[in-house]
Structure formats: C-alpha cells, structure tokens
Amino acid sequence: MVDDAELVERVRRGDREAFGGLVQRYQRRAFAVAWRFLRQREDAEDVVQESFLAALDKLDSFDATRPFGPWFLRIVANRSMSQLDRARVRATDPLHEEIAPASGGVEADFDRGETAALVRDALAELSERQRLVMQWHELDGLATAEIAEALGITESTVRWTVHAGRKALRERLLARQEGPDA
Amino acid sequence: MRDVHDDTEPLDRGTLDALAGAAGRVEDAGVRWEALAARITAAAELPLARRRGGWQRTAARWSGRMLPLAAAAGLLLAVGIALAPARETGLVLEEVMAVAASDGLGADYVGLEAQDAFLSTMLNGGE
C-alpha cells in the first residue's frame, strides 16, 4: 500500500488519483471528527469536503516528515468548530452544551436506562474537550496522535484524559452495581 | 517512552455500549462514501490542475530561457575555438614586428644582406 508521504508528494504535483487515495483513506475518520462537533450528517459532510480542499490549499506548508492524518484532522476539527460557531450565532435557540442523546431506537432505549443516565452524568462532568477525547478514542477509533493534533494538546494529555474518563465511568457503574446499601 | 497511563485497561463491552448510548454513535449510516469522495475529488479538480499547470509552466519557462541561452553559449564557444589559433598567430606576428621595428632589427637585417652581397662579390672576383 502506498504510504501517506508518497500520496502527499504526488498530490503536491497535482496527481488526481493520489488525492482520491487520501480522500478514501481519511474521509471516514474526518466525518467522525466533524460529526462529534456538529451532530448533523449534511453539515459534517460539508466540513469534510471543505477540509480536504483546505488541506490541498495548505499542502505546501505541510511538513512531509510528519504524519498526514493528525495534521489533516486538526483542519477538520478547526473547520468543525468554526461551523459550530456560525451555527450558534445563527440559531435563535443556542445549542445545548450538555451531551445530547442520539436519536434512534437502540439509543432511545439506552436513554431510558439507568446505566445510560449514569454514563451521561459522568460525561457531563467532563469538559467539552475531555468528552471529545473519550468519544473519539473509545467509540470512533481515532489514534492518540490524531486526537492530540486535532485538539492542539499533547498525546500525554490525551492518554491522561482517557485514563481519567475510564476511571470515572467504571466507578459510577461499579457504584450502581453495588447499590446504595453496599 | 512508556506513559504512566498506557496500561489503563480498556472499557468492557457493556461500558462501551453505555458510553455509545449516552454519547451517541456517529451517524454515518446514511453517508454515501463513494459519492462523497467523488464530490470532494471533483471540487479539487481546479486546484489540482493548477498544481499540474504550475509545475509545467515553471518547467516550460525555464526551458524557454535555457535553450536559447545554451544555444548561444555553444555558438560562442565554437566561434571562439575556431578563431583562437589564428588570433594567437596574428598576435605573435604583430608583436614580433613591433619589437623588430622598435629595436631596429629590420635595419640590421638589411645591413647583413648588404654585407653578404659585398663579400660574395669580393670572393667571386666581382661577379
């Protein structure tokens, strides 16, 4: 498989096929990053497209000795935040900051469950950045380096956040299992 | 370097499901990935073409400048080589003549001829 560095080098020379290769490779992760901010499929798709074009525009300033993925996902995160800000300004009713339960049958069942409520409470105690770290890491499969670059924090901070988040979730769920009398 | 939190045990299936239930899963079921990729690639066509064109233009600009320069340099070199011996020979002759004129060698040379003619006449009995 052609590595990212080679694809990037070819894209710099205007290779359409290489650009398509990068799109295929990163569009799903980019979508996951954007969706966590925006929670709207169409908006997330638009941000993914904008981000690829922005990356193409900035490609000459990209340090090819570094991995492409984290650098690109940083662009996606920045674009998503900008989009979110625009949406907040436009909206007469500001978006809720707390974790919004996903719509749909399975998630709706969880919403009614005690476990989901506990986990939601645990997540609500985290900052927005910490929640994103947990969601990207635990649910969306993003690498530590990608999360770190996307949020502009160190990999060590990402690992610490994951560690603290897991601990908090476990403690809450354990307390529920043991019950108030335990 | 090994981080102190690297050994954190992953969440079990139940907790992950609870987390997904609370935070929501990425709703990508409705995304048509191929169509999205095609849309992105199509939108990138112009900037990509600019990159291709930019490279070609640069190459063309350089070759446009370099070819006449190279041809002119080659021509000058050939002319220089062709003319160099003749010019050098000419210069040597001019220098010799100039020195000869300034030192009176020409007159001396004429005097020697006259002396030779006189001696020849004397030795051969006035012929």
PDB file of all heavy atoms in Angstrom, chain A residues 11-16 19 56, chain B residues 41-57:
ATOM      1  N   VAL A  11       0.266  14.452  -4.657  1.00  0.00           N
ATOM      2  CA  VAL A  11      -0.797  15.471  -4.678  1.00  0.00           C
ATOM      3  C   VAL A  11      -0.181  16.856  -4.866  1.00  0.00           C
ATOM      4  O   VAL A  11      -0.739  17.707  -5.557  1.00  0.00           O
ATOM      5  CB  VAL A  11      -1.629  15.411  -3.372  1.00  0.00           C
ATOM      6  CG1 VAL A  11      -2.590  16.594  -3.290  1.00  0.00           C
ATOM      7  CG2 VAL A  11      -2.419  14.110  -3.312  1.00  0.00           C
ATOM      8  N   ARG A  12       0.970  17.057  -4.297  1.00  0.00           N
ATOM      9  CA  ARG A  12       1.648  18.355  -4.461  1.00  0.00           C
ATOM     10  C   ARG A  12       1.923  18.652  -5.928  1.00  0.00           C
ATOM     11  O   ARG A  12       1.992  19.791  -6.340  1.00  0.00           O
ATOM     12  CB  ARG A  12       2.973  18.359  -3.697  1.00  0.00           C
ATOM     13  CG  ARG A  12       2.792  18.701  -2.240  1.00  0.00           C
ATOM     14  CD  ARG A  12       4.111  18.731  -1.522  1.00  0.00           C
ATOM     15  NE  ARG A  12       3.944  19.292  -0.194  1.00  0.00           N
ATOM     16  CZ  ARG A  12       4.714  19.016   0.844  1.00  0.00           C
ATOM     17  NH1 ARG A  12       5.716  18.186   0.708  1.00  0.00           N
ATOM     18  NH2 ARG A  12       4.500  19.569   2.009  1.00  0.00           N
ATOM     19  N   ARG A  13       2.088  17.596  -6.700  1.00  0.00           N
ATOM     20  CA  ARG A  13       2.339  17.782  -8.140  1.00  0.00           C
ATOM     21  C   ARG A  13       1.037  17.759  -8.938  1.00  0.00           C
ATOM     22  O   ARG A  13       1.056  17.768 -10.158  1.00  0.00           O
ATOM     23  CB  ARG A  13       3.288  16.697  -8.645  1.00  0.00           C
ATOM     24  CG  ARG A  13       4.667  16.738  -7.997  1.00  0.00           C
ATOM     25  CD  ARG A  13       5.683  15.904  -8.765  1.00  0.00           C
ATOM     26  NE  ARG A  13       5.314  14.507  -8.858  1.00  0.00           N
ATOM     27  CZ  ARG A  13       5.725  13.558  -8.017  1.00  0.00           C
ATOM     28  NH1 ARG A  13       6.507  13.886  -7.000  1.00  0.00           N
ATOM     29  NH2 ARG A  13       5.360  12.311  -8.155  1.00  0.00           N
ATOM     30  N   GLY A  14      -0.093  17.680  -8.188  1.00  0.00           N
ATOM     31  CA  GLY A  14      -1.392  17.754  -8.855  1.00  0.00           C
ATOM     32  C   GLY A  14      -1.966  16.421  -9.278  1.00  0.00           C
ATOM     33  O   GLY A  14      -2.856  16.370 -10.133  1.00  0.00           O
ATOM     34  N   ASP A  15      -1.507  15.338  -8.676  1.00  0.00           N
ATOM     35  CA  ASP A  15      -1.983  13.994  -9.045  1.00  0.00           C
ATOM     36  C   ASP A  15      -3.386  13.752  -8.479  1.00  0.00           C
ATOM     37  O   ASP A  15      -3.578  13.672  -7.272  1.00  0.00           O
ATOM     38  CB  ASP A  15      -1.008  12.957  -8.480  1.00  0.00           C
ATOM     39  CG  ASP A  15      -1.313  11.551  -8.987  1.00  0.00           C
ATOM     40  OD1 ASP A  15      -2.507  11.228  -9.173  1.00  0.00           O
ATOM     41  OD2 ASP A  15      -0.365  10.782  -9.182  1.00  0.00           O
ATOM     42  N   ARG A  16      -4.341  13.646  -9.386  1.00  0.00           N
ATOM     43  CA  ARG A  16      -5.747  13.483  -9.002  1.00  0.00           C
ATOM     44  C   ARG A  16      -5.975  12.145  -8.292  1.00  0.00           C
ATOM     45  O   ARG A  16      -6.719  12.057  -7.313  1.00  0.00           O
ATOM     46  CB  ARG A  16      -6.597  13.553 -10.276  1.00  0.00           C
ATOM     47  CG  ARG A  16      -8.079  13.687 -10.062  1.00  0.00           C
ATOM     48  CD  ARG A  16      -8.757  13.940 -11.415  1.00  0.00           C
ATOM     49  NE  ARG A  16     -10.161  14.261 -11.249  1.00  0.00           N
ATOM     50  CZ  ARG A  16     -11.120  13.351 -11.209  1.00  0.00           C
ATOM     51  NH1 ARG A  16     -10.813  12.079 -11.317  1.00  0.00           N
ATOM     52  NH2 ARG A  16     -12.385  13.704 -11.065  1.00  0.00           N
ATOM     53  N   PHE A  19      -4.757  12.188  -4.753  1.00  0.00           N
ATOM     54  CA  PHE A  19      -5.675  12.948  -3.908  1.00  0.00           C
ATOM     55  C   PHE A  19      -6.888  12.082  -3.556  1.00  0.00           C
ATOM     56  O   PHE A  19      -7.327  12.046  -2.401  1.00  0.00           O
ATOM     57  CB  PHE A  19      -6.124  14.230  -4.626  1.00  0.00           C
ATOM     58  CG  PHE A  19      -7.049  15.083  -3.813  1.00  0.00           C
ATOM     59  CD1 PHE A  19      -6.566  15.852  -2.762  1.00  0.00           C
ATOM     60  CD2 PHE A  19      -8.407  15.104  -4.083  1.00  0.00           C
ATOM     61  CE1 PHE A  19      -7.422  16.627  -1.995  1.00  0.00           C
ATOM     62  CE2 PHE A  19      -9.271  15.872  -3.328  1.00  0.00           C
ATOM     63  CZ  PHE A  19      -8.780  16.638  -2.278  1.00  0.00           C
ATOM     64  N   LEU A  56      -5.574  20.702   0.744  1.00  0.00           N
ATOM     65  CA  LEU A  56      -4.928  20.807  -0.569  1.00  0.00           C
ATOM     66  C   LEU A  56      -4.304  22.185  -0.749  1.00  0.00           C
ATOM     67  O   LEU A  56      -3.195  22.333  -1.269  1.00  0.00           O
ATOM     68  CB  LEU A  56      -5.974  20.539  -1.665  1.00  0.00           C
ATOM     69  CG  LEU A  56      -5.518  20.571  -3.110  1.00  0.00           C
ATOM     70  CD1 LEU A  56      -4.408  19.566  -3.363  1.00  0.00           C
ATOM     71  CD2 LEU A  56      -6.693  20.294  -4.043  1.00  0.00           C
TER      72      LEU A  56
ATOM     73  N   THR B  41     -13.362  15.043  -4.777  1.00  0.00           N
ATOM     74  CA  THR B  41     -12.341  14.997  -5.837  1.00  0.00           C
ATOM     75  C   THR B  41     -12.702  15.947  -6.980  1.00  0.00           C
ATOM     76  O   THR B  41     -11.825  16.617  -7.539  1.00  0.00           O
ATOM     77  CB  THR B  41     -12.195  13.559  -6.371  1.00  0.00           C
ATOM     78  OG1 THR B  41     -12.039  12.682  -5.265  1.00  0.00           O
ATOM     79  CG2 THR B  41     -10.982  13.425  -7.268  1.00  0.00           C
ATOM     80  N   ALA B  42     -13.997  15.998  -7.292  1.00  0.00           N
ATOM     81  CA  ALA B  42     -14.425  16.908  -8.364  1.00  0.00           C
ATOM     82  C   ALA B  42     -14.176  18.362  -7.960  1.00  0.00           C
ATOM     83  O   ALA B  42     -13.718  19.177  -8.772  1.00  0.00           O
ATOM     84  CB  ALA B  42     -15.903  16.685  -8.673  1.00  0.00           C
ATOM     85  N   ALA B  43     -14.462  18.661  -6.695  1.00  0.00           N
ATOM     86  CA  ALA B  43     -14.249  20.038  -6.221  1.00  0.00           C
ATOM     87  C   ALA B  43     -12.770  20.402  -6.207  1.00  0.00           C
ATOM     88  O   ALA B  43     -12.419  21.578  -6.287  1.00  0.00           O
ATOM     89  CB  ALA B  43     -14.843  20.195  -4.824  1.00  0.00           C
ATOM     90  N   ALA B  44     -11.934  19.385  -6.099  1.00  0.00           N
ATOM     91  CA  ALA B  44     -10.482  19.630  -6.031  1.00  0.00           C
ATOM     92  C   ALA B  44      -9.837  19.676  -7.416  1.00  0.00           C
ATOM     93  O   ALA B  44      -8.633  19.905  -7.529  1.00  0.00           O
ATOM     94  CB  ALA B  44      -9.816  18.538  -5.200  1.00  0.00           C
ATOM     95  N   GLU B  45     -10.644  19.456  -8.441  1.00  0.00           N
ATOM     96  CA  GLU B  45     -10.081  19.348  -9.789  1.00  0.00           C
ATOM     97  C   GLU B  45      -9.306  20.603 -10.200  1.00  0.00           C
ATOM     98  O   GLU B  45      -8.190  20.523 -10.727  1.00  0.00           O
ATOM     99  CB  GLU B  45     -11.213  19.063 -10.785  1.00  0.00           C
ATOM    100  CG  GLU B  45     -10.740  18.628 -12.157  1.00  0.00           C
ATOM    101  CD  GLU B  45      -9.820  17.416 -12.099  1.00  0.00           C
ATOM    102  OE1 GLU B  45     -10.253  16.356 -11.615  1.00  0.00           O
ATOM    103  OE2 GLU B  45      -8.664  17.552 -12.517  1.00  0.00           O
ATOM    104  N   LEU B  46      -9.902  21.750  -9.934  1.00  0.00           N
ATOM    105  CA  LEU B  46      -9.265  23.003 -10.360  1.00  0.00           C
ATOM    106  C   LEU B  46      -7.943  23.248  -9.616  1.00  0.00           C
ATOM    107  O   LEU B  46      -6.916  23.502 -10.262  1.00  0.00           O
ATOM    108  CB  LEU B  46     -10.236  24.167 -10.167  1.00  0.00           C
ATOM    109  CG  LEU B  46      -9.809  25.487 -10.793  1.00  0.00           C
ATOM    110  CD1 LEU B  46      -9.648  25.359 -12.304  1.00  0.00           C
ATOM    111  CD2 LEU B  46     -10.834  26.587 -10.471  1.00  0.00           C
ATOM    112  N   PRO B  47      -7.952  23.178  -8.275  1.00  0.00           N
ATOM    113  CA  PRO B  47      -6.658  23.370  -7.593  1.00  0.00           C
ATOM    114  C   PRO B  47      -5.608  22.329  -7.978  1.00  0.00           C
ATOM    115  O   PRO B  47      -4.411  22.656  -8.061  1.00  0.00           O
ATOM    116  CB  PRO B  47      -7.006  23.257  -6.097  1.00  0.00           C
ATOM    117  CG  PRO B  47      -8.430  22.913  -5.991  1.00  0.00           C
ATOM    118  CD  PRO B  47      -9.065  23.114  -7.314  1.00  0.00           C
ATOM    119  N   LEU B  48      -6.051  21.119  -8.259  1.00  0.00           N
ATOM    120  CA  LEU B  48      -5.093  20.093  -8.687  1.00  0.00           C
ATOM    121  C   LEU B  48      -4.526  20.438 -10.066  1.00  0.00           C
ATOM    122  O   LEU B  48      -3.321  20.303 -10.303  1.00  0.00           O
ATOM    123  CB  LEU B  48      -5.767  18.716  -8.720  1.00  0.00           C
ATOM    124  CG  LEU B  48      -6.008  18.050  -7.361  1.00  0.00           C
ATOM    125  CD1 LEU B  48      -6.913  16.826  -7.511  1.00  0.00           C
ATOM    126  CD2 LEU B  48      -4.700  17.641  -6.706  1.00  0.00           C
ATOM    127  N   ALA B  49      -5.417  20.881 -10.942  1.00  0.00           N
ATOM    128  CA  ALA B  49      -4.975  21.260 -12.288  1.00  0.00           C
ATOM    129  C   ALA B  49      -4.003  22.435 -12.211  1.00  0.00           C
ATOM    130  O   ALA B  49      -3.030  22.506 -12.968  1.00  0.00           O
ATOM    131  CB  ALA B  49      -6.182  21.634 -13.148  1.00  0.00           C
ATOM    132  N   ARG B  50      -4.282  23.349 -11.294  1.00  0.00           N
ATOM    133  CA  ARG B  50      -3.384  24.491 -11.104  1.00  0.00           C
ATOM    134  C   ARG B  50      -1.996  24.011 -10.681  1.00  0.00           C
ATOM    135  O   ARG B  50      -0.984  24.536 -11.113  1.00  0.00           O
ATOM    136  CB  ARG B  50      -3.965  25.415 -10.036  1.00  0.00           C
ATOM    137  CG  ARG B  50      -3.983  26.866 -10.475  1.00  0.00           C
ATOM    138  CD  ARG B  50      -4.583  27.746  -9.400  1.00  0.00           C
ATOM    139  NE  ARG B  50      -6.022  27.822  -9.460  1.00  0.00           N
ATOM    140  CZ  ARG B  50      -6.836  27.679  -8.420  1.00  0.00           C
ATOM    141  NH1 ARG B  50      -6.349  27.417  -7.235  1.00  0.00           N
ATOM    142  NH2 ARG B  50      -8.130  27.795  -8.559  1.00  0.00           N
ATOM    143  N   ARG B  51      -2.002  23.005  -9.811  1.00  0.00           N
ATOM    144  CA  ARG B  51      -0.706  22.458  -9.370  1.00  0.00           C
ATOM    145  C   ARG B  51       0.026  21.816 -10.549  1.00  0.00           C
ATOM    146  O   ARG B  51       1.226  21.981 -10.698  1.00  0.00           O
ATOM    147  CB  ARG B  51      -0.912  21.422  -8.265  1.00  0.00           C
ATOM    148  CG  ARG B  51      -1.207  22.048  -6.927  1.00  0.00           C
ATOM    149  CD  ARG B  51      -1.411  21.011  -5.846  1.00  0.00           C
ATOM    150  NE  ARG B  51      -1.578  21.668  -4.559  1.00  0.00           N
ATOM    151  CZ  ARG B  51      -0.581  22.039  -3.777  1.00  0.00           C
ATOM    152  NH1 ARG B  51       0.643  21.783  -4.137  1.00  0.00           N
ATOM    153  NH2 ARG B  51      -0.801  22.666  -2.639  1.00  0.00           N
ATOM    154  N   ARG B  52      -0.705  21.067 -11.348  1.00  0.00           N
ATOM    155  CA  ARG B  52      -0.070  20.447 -12.524  1.00  0.00           C
ATOM    156  C   ARG B  52       0.421  21.522 -13.476  1.00  0.00           C
ATOM    157  O   ARG B  52       1.555  21.492 -13.936  1.00  0.00           O
ATOM    158  CB  ARG B  52      -1.064  19.536 -13.249  1.00  0.00           C
ATOM    159  CG  ARG B  52      -1.334  18.228 -12.564  1.00  0.00           C
ATOM    160  CD  ARG B  52      -2.062  17.275 -13.497  1.00  0.00           C
ATOM    161  NE  ARG B  52      -3.362  17.769 -13.902  1.00  0.00           N
ATOM    162  CZ  ARG B  52      -4.496  17.555 -13.231  1.00  0.00           C
ATOM    163  NH1 ARG B  52      -4.482  16.855 -12.128  1.00  0.00           N
ATOM    164  NH2 ARG B  52      -5.652  18.039 -13.662  1.00  0.00           N
ATOM    165  N   GLY B  53      -0.460  22.501 -13.734  1.00  0.00           N
ATOM    166  CA  GLY B  53      -0.118  23.587 -14.659  1.00  0.00           C
ATOM    167  C   GLY B  53       1.035  24.395 -14.144  1.00  0.00           C
ATOM    168  O   GLY B  53       1.903  24.790 -14.911  1.00  0.00           O
ATOM    169  N   GLY B  54       1.052  24.645 -12.884  1.00  0.00           N
ATOM    170  CA  GLY B  54       2.112  25.446 -12.278  1.00  0.00           C
ATOM    171  C   GLY B  54       3.463  24.800 -12.494  1.00  0.00           C
ATOM    172  O   GLY B  54       4.419  25.461 -12.891  1.00  0.00           O
ATOM    173  N   TRP B  55       3.488  23.499 -12.313  1.00  0.00           N
ATOM    174  CA  TRP B  55       4.750  22.771 -12.492  1.00  0.00           C
ATOM    175  C   TRP B  55       5.203  22.813 -13.942  1.00  0.00           C
ATOM    176  O   TRP B  55       6.361  23.072 -14.247  1.00  0.00           O
ATOM    177  CB  TRP B  55       4.537  21.338 -12.026  1.00  0.00           C
ATOM    178  CG  TRP B  55       5.745  20.497 -12.202  1.00  0.00           C
ATOM    179  CD1 TRP B  55       6.817  20.417 -11.371  1.00  0.00           C
ATOM    180  CD2 TRP B  55       6.018  19.604 -13.279  1.00  0.00           C
ATOM    181  NE1 TRP B  55       7.737  19.537 -11.865  1.00  0.00           N
ATOM    182  CE2 TRP B  55       7.276  19.026 -13.032  1.00  0.00           C
ATOM    183  CE3 TRP B  55       5.329  19.248 -14.430  1.00  0.00           C
ATOM    184  CZ2 TRP B  55       7.839  18.106 -13.897  1.00  0.00           C
ATOM    185  CZ3 TRP B  55       5.895  18.321 -15.296  1.00  0.00           C
ATOM    186  CH2 TRP B  55       7.143  17.772 -15.011  1.00  0.00           C
ATOM    187  N   GLN B  56       4.181  22.606 -14.824  1.00  0.00           N
ATOM    188  CA  GLN B  56       4.530  22.579 -16.248  1.00  0.00           C
ATOM    189  C   GLN B  56       4.960  23.958 -16.744  1.00  0.00           C
ATOM    190  O   GLN B  56       5.886  24.095 -17.524  1.00  0.00           O
ATOM    191  CB  GLN B  56       3.336  22.080 -17.068  1.00  0.00           C
ATOM    192  CG  GLN B  56       3.121  20.578 -16.905  1.00  0.00           C
ATOM    193  CD  GLN B  56       1.775  20.125 -17.418  1.00  0.00           C
ATOM    194  OE1 GLN B  56       0.875  20.924 -17.601  1.00  0.00           O
ATOM    195  NE2 GLN B  56       1.643  18.844 -17.638  1.00  0.00           N
ATOM    196  N   ARG B  57       4.233  24.971 -16.215  1.00  0.00           N
ATOM    197  CA  ARG B  57       4.592  26.329 -16.625  1.00  0.00           C
ATOM    198  C   ARG B  57       6.011  26.677 -16.194  1.00  0.00           C
ATOM    199  O   ARG B  57       6.775  27.272 -16.933  1.00  0.00           O
ATOM    200  CB  ARG B  57       3.600  27.325 -16.012  1.00  0.00           C
ATOM    201  CG  ARG B  57       2.444  27.673 -16.960  1.00  0.00           C
ATOM    202  CD  ARG B  57       1.806  28.986 -16.557  1.00  0.00           C
ATOM    203  NE  ARG B  57       1.396  28.981 -15.172  1.00  0.00           N
ATOM    204  CZ  ARG B  57       0.234  28.539 -14.734  1.00  0.00           C
ATOM    205  NH1 ARG B  57      -0.636  28.058 -15.587  1.00  0.00           N
ATOM    206  NH2 ARG B  57      -0.071  28.588 -13.445  1.00  0.00           N
TER     207      ARG B  57
END
